[in-house]
Amino acid sequence: SARGQSAYLEKILPLFTEREEEIYRRGRNAKKGTKSKNAGAVEYNRSTGFEAVLGDLHLTGNHERIEQLLSVIDEADLKGQAAATYFKP
């Protein structure tokens, strides 16, 4: 979802290279032909930028970088789940 991608972006945005930042900005700022049904304009634009980065990495064959970025998201997600399930009143 756009909301989920926007939230994940917070975790990996500091890791972007200059080229990835440029692709992100171009994707985020591109004119969209549709609107999101379940997310605000900011979240939708940010998620589109995130998708642009992943798409570029895929098209250029940089699958290792995709794995690297997504592993950061997975690690953060797992830490959040562990913290959420640890406390049982």
Side-chain angles (χ1 to χ4, degrees):
S1 75
R3 284 186 183 156
Q5 289 177 359
S6 182
Y8 286 144
L9 183 63
E10 290 297 319
K11 297 173 177 109
I12 64 169
L13 193 56
L15 305 175
F16 280 178
T17 63
E18 285 184 33
R19 183 174 190 279
E20 291 165 350
E21 286 178 9
E22 177 62 26
I23 292 165
Y24 166 73
R25 280 191 296 273
R26 290 179 67 194
R28 181 193 64 197
N29 295 336
K31 183 171 174 137
K32 317 304 185 280
T34 60
K35 292 184 180 182
S36 174
K37 295 177 186 176
N38 299 316
V42 172
E43 290 172 323
Y44 187 67
N45 291 341
R46 287 170 48 91
S47 68
T48 302
F50 177 59
E51 291 171 354
V53 171
L54 293 180
D56 177 73
L57 291 171
H58 176 73
L59 290 174
T60 57
N62 200 344
H63 302 284
E64 186 176 312
R65 180 65 174 152
I66 294 172
E67 291 289 328
Q68 185 181 34
L69 291 173
L70 295 181
S71 71
V72 171
I73 293 170
D74 286 343
E75 287 176 15
D77 236 12
L78 291 174
K79 287 179 185 174
Q81 287 177 0
T85 58
Y86 178 73
F87 177 74
K88 293 183 181 179

